Every structure is written in C-alpha cells, then in structure tokens.
Amino acid sequence: MSGSPVGTQKPPAHSSTLAAATSLLDSRPEAALAQAEAILQRTPGLPAAEFLACQALRKLGQSDAALPRLAALARSQPRVPAVLWELAQAASEAGRSREAIGALENLTRLQPAVAGGWFLLARELRKSGRDEEAWRADLSGVHASSRDPELLKAAVAMNEGRLDESASMLTARLERLPGDPAACRLLGEVNWRRGDMTEALAWVERALELAPGFDLARDFLVRLLLQNNRLPEALDHAEKLTTSPVRSPGHDLLKASVLVRLGQQEQAQQIYEQLLALKPEQPQVWQNLGHVLKTMGRQPDAIHAYRQAVLHQPSMGEAWWSLANLKTVKLGPDDISAMEQALASLEPEREERQEDIFHLHFSLGKALEDARDYAASFHHYDQGNRLRRTLVRHDADDFSAEARATADTFSAAFIAEMGPGGCPAPDPVFIVGLPRSGSTLVEQILASHSQVEGTMELPEMMIIASRLQSRVDEGEFPDFRTMITSLTPADRLRLGEEYIERTRVHRQTGKPRFIDKMPNNWQHVGLIRLILPNARIIDARRHPLSCCFSGWKQHFARGQTFSYDLTDIGRYYRDYVGLMAAYDEAAPEAVHRVLYENMVTDTEHQVRRVLDYLDLPFEQACLEFYNNDRAVRTASSEQVRQPIFTDGMERWKHFAQWLGPLIEALGPLNHAGFAEGHSS
C-alpha cells in the first residue's frame, strides 16, 4: 500500500535510526518496536515512528494495542493510504469490523485503483452480513486489478502463448501477495491452457475463496466444471452468478446451458423466453431456444425460433444448419437464395466468419440435396467439409495405431488372465458405433421400455479412458497394454463405481437400467467389460457407404473430428469394424450387434432379440417408440418421433460418382464384410 506518514518532516538525525528499525520489522518486530518507542521518547508524536510502532505491535499479535494509536494517527494523517490500510488490518484482526470498514471506505476513496483495499473491504462487509455491498466491493477490486501493470504483463504473455513465462510472473506475485484473487484466476487460466485441469480448477476456486463476488472467476469456473462434466457443481455456481448485483444476460445464458446439459430443457426454455421477452432481437438466444424446443420434440416451435434467428441475422450459419438439420424440414428456393446471398456477403471476411461459412455450406448441401441438384449439393458439402477439416485435429495413422493396440491387448487370453473384477452393477446399457448408424433409433426403442431410462450421449466413460491413457502419454507406463494390466481388482471396482456415481445425475427416474449412447465408446468396449462386467453393449451398425456418407455430410457440434474427410471417415469405419471383430473373437456374445437395415425392415423380430439380450420382457411400447416424448438431442431427433421409414437407406447412391476416396478407404467393407461378427 503506497504512502507513508508525514515522516519527511522528521529531523534528519532520526533518519538512519528509523531506517534501521524499519529493516527489523519482518524478522525481529520486537526489536523494531523497542527502537520506535525509543525514538518517540526523544521526539514524541513523530508520525513515522508512531506508524512503525503500530506495525510492530500488529506483527506481534497485539492489534488491540495498536488500534487506538492508529486511529489517532489516522485522524492526524487522514490522507495517507498506508495508515488507513494498517488501521483496517489491525481492526480486522481485532474483530472490530465496523472500524475496519470505515478505514477501508476512506482508503478506497483515496486509492480506487488499488485492488487490495477493495478486496479487504469486501471481506469485512461480508463479516458484517452486508453481502451485496461486499459483492460490489469485490467487483471494484476486480476492476482495479484489470489495470494492474504486472497482471497485464502476465496476461499478455499468456495470450501470446508464453505460458511458462506468465506462470512464473504470477507465481512470484502470489509469493508476495498470496491473497490476490486476480492473480489466482489468471494462473488458473494459464494452467487450463497448459491442459492441467486439476491445477486450473484449484486456482480458480482459490480466487473465489478470496473474493466470492469475482463474477468473471465464477463464470470461468462454471465452464471448467462443464468441461469436467461436474454438472451439479456447475449449476450451483451458475445460479449464484444470476444473483449478482450487476445483472448480466450472460449469467442467465450460462445457467441455461448447464440446465440443458442436465436434461432440464423446460427450465432452460423459460430462461430463453424471459430474455427474449425483454429484448426480442437476439439471434443467439432464438437459436438456443430452437435447440431446446427441438430436443423436446416441439418441431413447429423450433422452426419458428430458428427462423427468428436468421431473420435477425441472415448470415447466422448455425441457425440455418439447425433448420436443415431437422431432417424432416426442407429448405425451399427462397431459403437457398437467402443462404447464397449470406455466403457471398461473408466470403471477404473468411477468416473471421469461418463457422458461419462452413455451416452455410452444409445447409446449402442439404437444401440442394432435397431439391435433387446432387452436383451442386456435393459441391457445398465438399466445401463445408474442407473448411471444417482445417479447424480440427485428426491423425488417421495415429488413430489406427491406437485401435490396433487396443485390439491386440484385449485377446481372449488377456481377458482370462485379468480374471473377474469391476463394479457388478447391471444398470448401464451402452449403445456404440458410428454417428448416423441408427443408434438413436435403437435408443428410442429401448427407452420406451418400462425398465429402461434414456439419458443422452454421456462423456463419463471417455473421461475415465482419457485419464488412463494420459498415464501412458506422461510416461508412467510404456504402452497401453502395460497400463491396463496394472489395474488391480480394486482399481477396476473403483473405476466402475466412479462411472455409476458420475452418471447418476443424468438419471431422472427410478428405472433399473439406463442407456449411455455415446457412439465413440466402441473404442472402450474392453475397458467397459473390465470395470462394468454386467453392463450390456449394443453395437449399432449401418452399411458403410450409407453410414460414412451420412456422417460426412453432417456437421457435428463437437467430437467427431474424423468425419470431415471421405478418406478419414472410411479409415475410421475400418478401424471400428476391425476392433469390434477382434473383441467378438476374444469374447463371443459379449456385444450384441444390431444392423440398421435389418431393424427397419424386420423391426419386431430385431426388437425382441435386443430385449432378450438385455433379459427384458417384450413390451408393445417398444414398437410404438415414436409416441415417446422424451428429450432427444442428436441429429436424428425428429426421425425417431415417427414410424420407421426406409427413404434414407441408399441416398449415397445419388452421389456415388464423387465417393471414390471413401470407397477406396473402405476396401472390402463395401461388400458384406461390414456385418461380420455376431448380429441380430
């Protein structure tokens, strides 16, 4: 805290003595106190000596003794920040919040750009039950921190990718100022950018311990918790944000996004509608509302919301794609013209508006496919995929090597060697495969059974698998097999119980079984069987050209990085079939395969076979799955709300002349090979 008592008026004879006494303050406060008192005996009332004596008393734990002297000094030196700071610290330590608050209010008026005074004021206000004032004081402290040169320098280093340099600056600062919330939050972001989520969470949580009114830190924490799928905690913090004295629609939007992830669509809908009632010209909010309404099966309302989004922002590519992606909606000539105009307007801004551009290409591809202009349709699908491919990371060679390593690990001998273990819970039903393989149809059929709850594509198994793989990547184990072999029965039990516990938040009913429809879990079938031996696994499979082409022309919100190149997606399909065939050989009958083509042409027989595999009785509701009004978030959400149809089974044939790279990548799987293994 800058400023000192008017010691500049002291006689020069005391300068060296006072300096010597001050140098003892941290290491020998009792000696500093004795020397300060000696100076005061010779020069009563000398402000600098009186101030030093009070500092020494506080360091010796005698804040009560320091308080009256500091109060007197503050009256004689009312505009010296250091005196007010010391008075506030002493009053706080003595439990005299009212006096501390008074000193800090004077201090922050004198030095509004110094964050420490605001943060200490917030703590004292909070002790006195003045929570809203405390929150505002924290926000003022954050505002002051945003102008701190040292923090700005660390932030610049972080944003320029000099993460180690930024971390070093912040660590050094926190050694001097361990109670600095802004430095804690910034160090949390540095660790997040490094990929160290544990440290990131710890530092951001520390920032909020120090300054509960630090809205930006709480917002960041919610996003970190979402990334870790810690949804109940994320909701708690999001709800806290909405009570901030500085109202922000962004806080409401963040809470709505958490509610969506929790499957509480109706509550998210209410938030979006309230925001739009206050300000209708918000295309992003209209789009978000459309997503929720689509998930709830309210298609006409979803269409209206998406139309409102593009009305307010005609170049909003994601809203156009959301309309096209309803599958049961056909975009007409006027829509095509509007999208072409939007695309033309964006081309000069290609770098800034890439997401809008590739979304518009995908949307035009779908509209022109519906109009049977297949050449133009393919051109737009191709342009959208090429642009999207530049924005994602996928190494087909590395992925194939990982799939082979997994297949080589989970041999019959290895499974026998590992022996029994894991969590015995029979609750989970995993539906795996590729996107656009008919998995949503299988899910909707099973979720119509009285004993099965449909949830969504749950990330928990992938989080567990990623954590295990990181032990190989970080050098703890030389390879995947060694790491898996190291799992003891107790480890497997713990991991299985972790999965059951982490997914509990998604279960809204008392039904004994639940579905996890994350398609990418085909990569982890062996791990699933190790940690959840009684879980059931259904492999939803579709003809390779039909499945891969459907996936290639689908823009996915996240995760499917292999799908934006015809060769990549063909190789991915081959890796999938290869690993599943290896597992079928190692553990026959463990995985039940459902071929989409069989399901749509011989529905009742296929449904009965799946239910037999799950040891569930047949129920007619499974054949009337389209009457189930549960929320469905995937691209097939509208298709599974109507009886089975076969229109889309061979759409790829309209584009066959352009699918050479896919056909070549698939190789022998273009024929009957895709169905190898146990199938129903």
Side-chain angles (χ1 to χ4, degrees):
M1 186 61 58
S2 62
S4 61
V6 190
T8 54
Q9 300 172 2
K10 63 185 177 293
H14 294 301
S15 297
S16 58
T17 307
L18 192 59
T22 302
S23 69
L24 298 171
L25 186 61
D26 290 327
S27 58
R28 295 175 58 202
E30 70 287 349
L33 176 61
Q35 292 193 25
E37 298 289 21
I39 294 170
L40 287 168
Q41 283 185 349
R42 294 193 297 274
T43 312
L46 181 67
E50 184 69 11
F51 182 66
L52 177 59
C54 292
Q55 286 181 297
L57 284 168
R58 192 169 71 81
K59 284 187 175 292
L60 290 166
Q62 299 176 40
S63 294
D64 283 322
L67 261 180
R69 297 172 68 170
L70 281 166
L73 192 58
R75 286 193 293 272
S76 66
Q77 306 280 323
R79 299 190 61 78
V80 178
V83 172
L84 294 171
W85 175 260
E86 196 67 26
L87 172 59
Q89 296 272 45
S92 175
E93 291 168 8
R96 309 264 285 271
S97 283
R98 188 173 63 82
E99 293 173 54
I101 289 168
L104 289 164
E105 287 175 337
N106 289 331
L107 175 63
T108 52
R109 278 194 290 270
L110 281 174
Q111 289 193 322
V114 178
W118 289 110
F119 289 130
L120 184 55
L121 174 59
R123 288 196 282 276
E124 293 305 317
L125 288 167
R126 203 166 274 114
K127 287 181 190 175
S128 300
R130 296 160 65 179
D131 291 344
E132 182 170 329
E133 293 173 81
W135 201 322
R136 290 184 181 277
D138 275 336
L139 292 171
S140 294
V142 172
H143 180 68
S145 296
S146 70
R147 301 178 180 182
D148 185 293
E150 189 177 24
L151 290 174
L152 286 171
K153 186 177 179 181
V156 168
M158 178 187 72
N159 289 324
E160 291 179 351
R162 293 180 282 120
L163 301 181
D164 290 345
E165 183 180 338
S166 179
S168 295
M169 285 189 276
L170 292 167
T171 301
R173 180 184 176 94
L174 285 165
E175 286 175 359
R176 297 193 326 270
L177 303 169
D180 184 352
C184 291
R185 194 217 71 85
L186 194 54
L187 189 54
E189 184 172 351
V190 170
N191 279 285
W192 173 70
R193 294 190 185 208
R194 283 171 158 173
D196 190 339
M197 189 65 77
T198 300
E199 281 294 297
L201 283 164
W203 280 112
V204 179
E205 287 169 344
R206 175 60 177 156
L208 285 167
E209 288 172 9
L210 294 167
F214 194 165
D215 287 355
L216 288 174
R218 198 174 298 278
D219 182 291
F220 186 38
L221 179 60
V222 172
R223 297 174 195 278
L224 293 178
L225 292 168
L226 284 173
Q227 288 181 27
N228 285 268
N229 214 41
R230 289 164 56 178
L231 302 182
E233 294 168 78
L235 182 59
D236 287 344
H237 286 287
E239 288 179 334
K240 178 75 172 176
L241 264 181
T242 62
T243 66
S244 172
V246 180
R247 295 288 298 146
S248 169
H251 298 160
D252 296 304
L253 289 171
L254 186 60
K255 178 182 174 181
S257 70
V258 179
L259 290 168
V260 167
R261 288 278 297 275
L262 282 163
Q264 298 177 26
Q265 312 294 336
E266 292 85 356
Q267 292 183 48
Q269 175 198 346
Q270 291 173 8
I271 291 173
Y272 294 139
E273 289 177 342
Q274 288 166 3
L275 291 172
L276 289 167
L278 294 171
K279 186 180 178 183
E281 62 281 4
Q282 298 185 78
Q284 185 66 52
V285 182
W286 278 113
Q287 178 178 276
N288 292 353
L289 176 60
H291 292 340
V292 166
L293 294 168
K294 182 201 81 163
T295 300
M296 294 167 63
R298 292 172 52 182
Q299 189 187 63
D301 293 331
I303 293 170
H304 172 73
Y306 291 139
R307 290 285 185 193
Q308 287 295 309
V310 297
L311 174 67
H312 292 295
Q313 187 177 326
S315 61
M316 193 172 192
E318 186 181 346
W320 281 112
W321 172 244
S322 299
L323 275 170
N325 199 33
L326 283 170
K327 309 301 182 190
T328 53
V329 172
K330 285 183 168 54
L331 299 177
D334 290 344
D335 295 316
I336 292 172
S337 176
M339 288 188 287
E340 288 174 339
Q341 290 178 37
L343 193 57
S345 73
L346 290 174
E347 287 297 347
E349 304 176 31
R350 187 176 181 85
E351 290 300 320
E352 294 78 11
R353 302 292 295 276
Q354 286 182 322
E355 288 200 12
D356 286 318
I357 291 169
F358 67 64
H359 275 122
L360 283 164
H361 278 304
F362 278 104
S363 305
L364 281 163
K366 173 64 166 56
L368 291 163
E369 180 182 359
D370 290 341
R372 303 192 177 190
D373 187 346
Y374 299 118
S377 170
F378 185 86
H379 168 75
H380 282 290
Y381 282 139
D382 187 53
Q383 290 298 303
N385 275 290
R386 286 178 185 274
L387 177 55
R388 188 73 177 101
R389 183 67 179 86
T390 66
L391 303 174
V392 299
R393 295 177 60 184
H394 176 73
D395 188 313
D397 291 336
D398 283 353
F399 187 84
S400 294
E402 289 177 12
R404 284 194 301 273
T406 304
D408 291 344
T409 295
F410 288 100
S411 63
F414 177 82
I415 293 170
E417 178 186 331
M418 292 296 287
C423 174
D427 308 26
V429 177
F430 293 89
I431 301 178
V432 305
L434 264 70
R436 312 297 297 142
S437 64
S439 56
T440 304
L441 173 61
V442 176
E443 176 194 34
Q444 186 78 345
I445 288 169
L446 293 179
S448 300
H449 195 282
S450 63
Q451 296 184 46
V452 183
E453 179 175 4
T455 57
M456 59 183 74
E457 296 180 356
L458 305 179
E460 277 77 13
M461 186 57 63
M462 296 185 70
I463 289 171
I464 291 171
S466 177
R467 193 172 72 234
L468 292 174
Q469 179 62 41
S470 70
R471 301 174 70 185
V472 179
D473 298 339
E474 294 169 5
E476 183 180 350
F477 295 98
D479 52 43
F480 177 79
R481 182 187 179 93
T482 308
M483 182 272 294
I484 290 293
T485 304
S486 75
L487 297 177
T488 65
D491 292 332
R492 291 159 58 186
L493 173 63
R494 173 179 51 79
L495 290 170
E497 289 176 340
E498 176 188 340
Y499 173 85
I500 295 296
E501 187 57 36
R502 289 177 65 115
T503 54
R504 199 175 303 282
V505 67
H506 299 287
R507 301 178 69 175
Q508 309 297 324
T509 70
K511 295 181 180 181
R513 313 286 282 276
F514 74 97
I515 299 169
D516 179 342
K517 200 191 75 68
M518 177 62 75
N520 311 66
N521 278 333
W522 67 265
Q523 302 164 43
H524 310 306
V525 167
L527 176 63
I528 291 170
R529 294 284 296 176
L530 279 182
I531 69 174
L532 291 162
N534 294 322
R536 299 303 173 94
I537 304 170
I538 298 170
D539 174 17
R541 190 171 297 188
R542 184 178 175 188
H543 185 283
L545 281 169
S546 184
C547 182
C548 292
F549 177 65
S550 183
W552 178 78
K553 65 179 185 168
Q554 174 76 39
H555 177 259
F556 297 97
R558 65 184 69 83
Q560 314 303 345
T561 57
F562 61 87
S563 67
Y564 301 108
D565 179 90
L566 289 171
T567 298
D568 284 348
I569 198 170
R571 290 186 61 181
Y572 186 91
Y573 191 100
R574 287 185 66 173
D575 291 333
Y576 148 68
V577 170
L579 179 56
M580 296 305 291
Y583 201 82
D584 287 344
E585 183 177 348
E589 311 295 321
V591 177
H592 182 83
R593 186 155 298 112
V594 176
L595 302 184
Y596 176 74
E597 290 75 12
N598 292 347
M599 180 62 81
V600 299
T601 57
D602 186 21
T603 307
E604 182 172 344
H605 177 64
Q606 302 304 318
V607 170
R608 287 182 180 275
R609 290 184 64 108
V610 174
L611 293 175
D612 286 346
Y613 168 71
L614 298 176
D615 293 325
L616 292 174
F618 174 78
E619 291 181 1
Q620 183 65 24
C622 293
L623 298 182
E624 298 171 2
F625 59 87
Y626 43 85
N627 293 323
N628 188 336
D629 61 359
R630 60 179 285 269
V632 181
R633 296 181 63 187
T634 67
S636 304
S637 60
E638 295 312 307
Q639 292 166 307
V640 299
R641 290 195 171 96
Q642 53 189 297
I644 286 177
F645 61 95
T646 60
D647 299 5
M649 288 177 62
E650 296 188 334
R651 285 182 179 169
W652 65 269
K653 291 185 176 179
H654 297 302
F655 299 85
Q657 61 181 301
W658 301 293
L659 300 183
L662 173 59
I663 292 169
E664 183 179 352
L666 287 168
L669 293 183
N670 288 303
H671 309 296
F674 81 96
E676 288 178 356
H678 172 65
S679 62
S680 52

mmCIF file of all heavy atoms in Angstrom, residues 130-158:
data_model
loop_
_atom_site.group_PDB
_atom_site.id
_atom_site.type_symbol
_atom_site.label_atom_id
_atom_site.label_comp_id
_atom_site.label_asym_id
_atom_site.label_seq_id
_atom_site.Cartn_x
_atom_site.Cartn_y
_atom_site.Cartn_z
ATOM 1 N N ARG A 130 -23.225 -7.711 5.282
ATOM 2 C CA ARG A 130 -23.592 -6.777 4.210
ATOM 3 C C ARG A 130 -23.137 -7.367 2.869
ATOM 4 O O ARG A 130 -22.229 -6.885 2.199
ATOM 5 C CB ARG A 130 -22.963 -5.404 4.490
ATOM 6 C CG ARG A 130 -23.519 -4.769 5.764
ATOM 7 C CD ARG A 130 -22.630 -3.688 6.340
ATOM 8 N NE ARG A 130 -22.504 -2.525 5.460
ATOM 9 C CZ ARG A 130 -21.794 -1.435 5.762
ATOM 10 N NH1 ARG A 130 -21.184 -1.359 6.952
ATOM 11 N NH2 ARG A 130 -21.711 -0.434 4.921
ATOM 12 N N ASP A 131 -23.822 -8.457 2.474
ATOM 13 C CA ASP A 131 -23.338 -9.291 1.372
ATOM 14 C C ASP A 131 -23.353 -8.583 0.024
ATOM 15 O O ASP A 131 -22.417 -8.731 -0.771
ATOM 16 C CB ASP A 131 -24.164 -10.585 1.284
ATOM 17 C CG ASP A 131 -23.892 -11.505 2.465
ATOM 18 O OD1 ASP A 131 -22.886 -11.287 3.156
ATOM 19 O OD2 ASP A 131 -24.685 -12.428 2.694
ATOM 20 N N GLU A 132 -24.415 -7.847 -0.271
ATOM 21 C CA GLU A 132 -24.463 -7.207 -1.580
ATOM 22 C C GLU A 132 -23.385 -6.134 -1.703
ATOM 23 O O GLU A 132 -22.724 -6.013 -2.747
ATOM 24 C CB GLU A 132 -25.838 -6.597 -1.849
ATOM 25 C CG GLU A 132 -25.910 -5.974 -3.244
ATOM 26 C CD GLU A 132 -27.317 -5.581 -3.649
ATOM 27 O OE1 GLU A 132 -28.282 -6.236 -3.213
ATOM 28 O OE2 GLU A 132 -27.442 -4.604 -4.418
ATOM 29 N N GLU A 133 -23.169 -5.372 -0.638
ATOM 30 C CA GLU A 133 -22.094 -4.376 -0.667
ATOM 31 C C GLU A 133 -20.734 -5.058 -0.811
ATOM 32 O O GLU A 133 -19.836 -4.549 -1.507
ATOM 33 C CB GLU A 133 -22.122 -3.529 0.605
ATOM 34 C CG GLU A 133 -23.335 -2.636 0.749
ATOM 35 C CD GLU A 133 -23.364 -1.968 2.109
ATOM 36 O OE1 GLU A 133 -22.659 -0.947 2.257
ATOM 37 O OE2 GLU A 133 -24.060 -2.470 3.011
ATOM 38 N N ALA A 134 -20.587 -6.211 -0.157
ATOM 39 C CA ALA A 134 -19.335 -6.963 -0.264
ATOM 40 C C ALA A 134 -19.106 -7.415 -1.704
ATOM 41 O O ALA A 134 -17.989 -7.332 -2.234
ATOM 42 C CB ALA A 134 -19.372 -8.170 0.676
ATOM 43 N N TRP A 135 -20.173 -7.904 -2.337
ATOM 44 C CA TRP A 135 -20.081 -8.354 -3.725
ATOM 45 C C TRP A 135 -19.626 -7.201 -4.616
ATOM 46 O O TRP A 135 -18.734 -7.344 -5.457
ATOM 47 C CB TRP A 135 -21.432 -8.885 -4.176
ATOM 48 C CG TRP A 135 -21.406 -9.803 -5.359
ATOM 49 C CD1 TRP A 135 -20.614 -9.707 -6.464
ATOM 50 C CD2 TRP A 135 -22.214 -10.969 -5.550
ATOM 51 N NE1 TRP A 135 -20.874 -10.727 -7.332
ATOM 52 C CE2 TRP A 135 -21.852 -11.515 -6.803
ATOM 53 C CE3 TRP A 135 -23.218 -11.586 -4.798
ATOM 54 C CZ2 TRP A 135 -22.469 -12.666 -7.316
ATOM 55 C CZ3 TRP A 135 -23.819 -12.726 -5.311
ATOM 56 C CH2 TRP A 135 -23.455 -13.261 -6.556
ATOM 57 N N ARG A 136 -20.225 -6.038 -4.412
ATOM 58 C CA ARG A 136 -19.854 -4.870 -5.225
ATOM 59 C C ARG A 136 -18.404 -4.453 -4.967
ATOM 60 O O ARG A 136 -17.694 -4.020 -5.884
ATOM 61 C CB ARG A 136 -20.807 -3.708 -4.940
ATOM 62 C CG ARG A 136 -22.218 -3.939 -5.471
ATOM 63 C CD ARG A 136 -23.095 -2.720 -5.262
ATOM 64 N NE ARG A 136 -24.445 -2.946 -5.756
ATOM 65 C CZ ARG A 136 -24.813 -2.815 -7.034
ATOM 66 N NH1 ARG A 136 -23.905 -2.440 -7.942
ATOM 67 N NH2 ARG A 136 -26.063 -3.031 -7.404
ATOM 68 N N ALA A 137 -17.947 -4.580 -3.715
ATOM 69 C CA ALA A 137 -16.554 -4.248 -3.409
ATOM 70 C C ALA A 137 -15.600 -5.208 -4.126
ATOM 71 O O ALA A 137 -14.565 -4.793 -4.664
ATOM 72 C CB ALA A 137 -16.323 -4.284 -1.904
ATOM 73 N N ASP A 138 -15.951 -6.510 -4.150
ATOM 74 C CA ASP A 138 -15.138 -7.471 -4.904
ATOM 75 C C ASP A 138 -15.064 -7.082 -6.375
ATOM 76 O O ASP A 138 -13.999 -7.137 -7.002
ATOM 77 C CB ASP A 138 -15.722 -8.884 -4.778
ATOM 78 C CG ASP A 138 -15.256 -9.614 -3.521
ATOM 79 O OD1 ASP A 138 -14.179 -9.265 -3.006
ATOM 80 O OD2 ASP A 138 -15.961 -10.535 -3.074
ATOM 81 N N LEU A 139 -16.199 -6.703 -6.946
ATOM 82 C CA LEU A 139 -16.222 -6.313 -8.358
ATOM 83 C C LEU A 139 -15.355 -5.077 -8.601
ATOM 84 O O LEU A 139 -14.673 -4.974 -9.634
ATOM 85 C CB LEU A 139 -17.665 -6.058 -8.813
ATOM 86 C CG LEU A 139 -18.558 -7.311 -8.876
ATOM 87 C CD1 LEU A 139 -20.014 -6.914 -9.123
ATOM 88 C CD2 LEU A 139 -18.076 -8.256 -9.970
ATOM 89 N N SER A 140 -15.359 -4.144 -7.648
ATOM 90 C CA SER A 140 -14.485 -2.976 -7.773
ATOM 91 C C SER A 140 -13.019 -3.387 -7.700
ATOM 92 O O SER A 140 -12.166 -2.836 -8.417
ATOM 93 C CB SER A 140 -14.797 -1.958 -6.669
ATOM 94 O OG SER A 140 -16.093 -1.424 -6.831
ATOM 95 N N GLY A 141 -12.717 -4.363 -6.854
ATOM 96 C CA GLY A 141 -11.352 -4.872 -6.771
ATOM 97 C C GLY A 141 -10.919 -5.531 -8.068
ATOM 98 O O GLY A 141 -9.779 -5.356 -8.528
ATOM 99 N N VAL A 142 -11.827 -6.280 -8.692
ATOM 100 C CA VAL A 142 -11.528 -6.915 -9.982
ATOM 101 C C VAL A 142 -11.272 -5.845 -11.040
ATOM 102 O O VAL A 142 -10.335 -5.946 -11.845
ATOM 103 C CB VAL A 142 -12.682 -7.847 -10.405
ATOM 104 C CG1 VAL A 142 -12.468 -8.362 -11.825
ATOM 105 C CG2 VAL A 142 -12.813 -9.006 -9.417
ATOM 106 N N HIS A 143 -12.110 -4.807 -11.028
ATOM 107 C CA HIS A 143 -11.936 -3.718 -11.991
ATOM 108 C C HIS A 143 -10.576 -3.045 -11.804
ATOM 109 O O HIS A 143 -9.865 -2.756 -12.779
ATOM 110 C CB HIS A 143 -13.059 -2.698 -11.818
ATOM 111 C CG HIS A 143 -12.963 -1.535 -12.764
ATOM 112 N ND1 HIS A 143 -13.141 -1.668 -14.124
ATOM 113 C CD2 HIS A 143 -12.689 -0.228 -12.540
ATOM 114 C CE1 HIS A 143 -12.989 -0.481 -14.699
ATOM 115 N NE2 HIS A 143 -12.711 0.402 -13.753
ATOM 116 N N ALA A 144 -10.199 -2.816 -10.551
ATOM 117 C CA ALA A 144 -8.891 -2.213 -10.280
ATOM 118 C C ALA A 144 -7.764 -3.136 -10.743
ATOM 119 O O ALA A 144 -6.758 -2.681 -11.307
ATOM 120 C CB ALA A 144 -8.758 -1.896 -8.794
ATOM 121 N N SER A 145 -7.913 -4.433 -10.530
ATOM 122 C CA SER A 145 -6.885 -5.395 -10.940
ATOM 123 C C SER A 145 -6.675 -5.397 -12.446
ATOM 124 O O SER A 145 -5.574 -5.671 -12.929
ATOM 125 C CB SER A 145 -7.269 -6.809 -10.476
ATOM 126 O OG SER A 145 -7.302 -6.903 -9.075
ATOM 127 N N SER A 146 -7.745 -5.106 -13.175
ATOM 128 C CA SER A 146 -7.641 -5.140 -14.638
ATOM 129 C C SER A 146 -6.697 -4.078 -15.181
ATOM 130 O O SER A 146 -6.313 -4.119 -16.351
ATOM 131 C CB SER A 146 -9.030 -4.967 -15.268
ATOM 132 O OG SER A 146 -9.511 -3.642 -15.067
ATOM 133 N N ARG A 147 -6.311 -3.126 -14.329
ATOM 134 C CA ARG A 147 -5.390 -2.068 -14.755
ATOM 135 C C ARG A 147 -4.004 -2.230 -14.135
ATOM 136 O O ARG A 147 -3.143 -1.370 -14.325
ATOM 137 C CB ARG A 147 -5.967 -0.706 -14.359
ATOM 138 C CG ARG A 147 -7.336 -0.440 -14.962
ATOM 139 C CD ARG A 147 -7.894 0.884 -14.504
ATOM 140 N NE ARG A 147 -9.209 1.139 -15.071
ATOM 141 C CZ ARG A 147 -9.912 2.245 -14.860
ATOM 142 N NH1 ARG A 147 -9.414 3.190 -14.078
ATOM 143 N NH2 ARG A 147 -11.102 2.404 -15.416
ATOM 144 N N ASP A 148 -3.798 -3.312 -13.405
ATOM 145 C CA ASP A 148 -2.525 -3.527 -12.740
ATOM 146 C C ASP A 148 -1.454 -3.883 -13.784
ATOM 147 O O ASP A 148 -1.603 -4.879 -14.502
ATOM 148 C CB ASP A 148 -2.669 -4.670 -11.727
ATOM 149 C CG ASP A 148 -1.421 -4.875 -10.900
ATOM 150 O OD1 ASP A 148 -0.390 -5.296 -11.478
ATOM 151 O OD2 ASP A 148 -1.461 -4.620 -9.686
ATOM 152 N N PRO A 149 -0.372 -3.113 -13.898
ATOM 153 C CA PRO A 149 0.629 -3.361 -14.948
ATOM 154 C C PRO A 149 1.234 -4.763 -14.893
ATOM 155 O O PRO A 149 1.469 -5.386 -15.934
ATOM 156 C CB PRO A 149 1.700 -2.286 -14.682
ATOM 157 C CG PRO A 149 0.980 -1.214 -13.919
ATOM 158 C CD PRO A 149 -0.046 -1.915 -13.096
ATOM 159 N N GLU A 150 1.477 -5.265 -13.687
ATOM 160 C CA GLU A 150 2.084 -6.586 -13.551
ATOM 161 C C GLU A 150 1.142 -7.675 -14.046
ATOM 162 O O GLU A 150 1.546 -8.601 -14.770
ATOM 163 C CB GLU A 150 2.457 -6.823 -12.085
ATOM 164 C CG GLU A 150 3.295 -8.067 -11.866
ATOM 165 C CD GLU A 150 3.717 -8.227 -10.415
ATOM 166 O OE1 GLU A 150 3.033 -7.676 -9.521
ATOM 167 O OE2 GLU A 150 4.737 -8.897 -10.173
ATOM 168 N N LEU A 151 -0.132 -7.569 -13.688
ATOM 169 C CA LEU A 151 -1.113 -8.550 -14.151
ATOM 170 C C LEU A 151 -1.329 -8.431 -15.659
ATOM 171 O O LEU A 151 -1.507 -9.445 -16.351
ATOM 172 C CB LEU A 151 -2.434 -8.362 -13.404
ATOM 173 C CG LEU A 151 -2.428 -8.745 -11.922
ATOM 174 C CD1 LEU A 151 -3.742 -8.363 -11.267
ATOM 175 C CD2 LEU A 151 -2.162 -10.236 -11.750
ATOM 176 N N LEU A 152 -1.341 -7.214 -16.172
ATOM 177 C CA LEU A 152 -1.494 -7.023 -17.614
ATOM 178 C C LEU A 152 -0.335 -7.678 -18.367
ATOM 179 O O LEU A 152 -0.540 -8.311 -19.416
ATOM 180 C CB LEU A 152 -1.563 -5.529 -17.943
ATOM 181 C CG LEU A 152 -2.878 -4.828 -17.583
ATOM 182 C CD1 LEU A 152 -2.733 -3.316 -17.742
ATOM 183 C CD2 LEU A 152 -4.014 -5.353 -18.459
ATOM 184 N N LYS A 153 0.866 -7.536 -17.849
ATOM 185 C CA LYS A 153 2.035 -8.140 -18.495
ATOM 186 C C LYS A 153 1.910 -9.670 -18.504
ATOM 187 O O LYS A 153 2.213 -10.328 -19.511
ATOM 188 C CB LYS A 153 3.303 -7.710 -17.758
ATOM 189 C CG LYS A 153 4.592 -8.156 -18.434
ATOM 190 C CD LYS A 153 5.806 -7.608 -17.666
ATOM 191 C CE LYS A 153 7.109 -8.080 -18.318
ATOM 192 N NZ LYS A 153 8.292 -7.587 -17.567
ATOM 193 N N ALA A 154 1.449 -10.240 -17.393
ATOM 194 C CA ALA A 154 1.266 -11.701 -17.322
ATOM 195 C C ALA A 154 0.175 -12.160 -18.280
ATOM 196 O O ALA A 154 0.289 -13.214 -18.916
ATOM 197 C CB ALA A 154 0.922 -12.116 -15.889
ATOM 198 N N ALA A 155 -0.887 -11.356 -18.405
ATOM 199 C CA ALA A 155 -1.987 -11.712 -19.305
ATOM 200 C C ALA A 155 -1.529 -11.667 -20.758
ATOM 201 O O ALA A 155 -1.899 -12.538 -21.568
ATOM 202 C CB ALA A 155 -3.165 -10.765 -19.089
ATOM 203 N N VAL A 156 -0.727 -10.667 -21.113
ATOM 204 C CA VAL A 156 -0.201 -10.579 -22.485
ATOM 205 C C VAL A 156 0.656 -11.799 -22.798
ATOM 206 O O VAL A 156 0.540 -12.407 -23.874
ATOM 207 C CB VAL A 156 0.593 -9.266 -22.677
ATOM 208 C CG1 VAL A 156 1.374 -9.304 -23.990
ATOM 209 C CG2 VAL A 156 -0.342 -8.069 -22.654
ATOM 210 N N ALA A 157 1.515 -12.170 -21.870
ATOM 211 C CA ALA A 157 2.363 -13.353 -22.076
ATOM 212 C C ALA A 157 1.512 -14.609 -22.286
ATOM 213 O O ALA A 157 1.797 -15.434 -23.163
ATOM 214 C CB ALA A 157 3.299 -13.536 -20.882
ATOM 215 N N MET A 158 0.454 -14.745 -21.491
ATOM 216 C CA MET A 158 -0.432 -15.897 -21.636
ATOM 217 C C MET A 158 -1.091 -15.908 -23.007
ATOM 218 O O MET A 158 -1.109 -16.931 -23.705
ATOM 219 C CB MET A 158 -1.499 -15.872 -20.540
ATOM 220 C CG MET A 158 -2.514 -17.000 -20.633
ATOM 221 S SD MET A 158 -3.877 -16.811 -19.454
ATOM 222 C CE MET A 158 -4.787 -15.436 -20.211
#
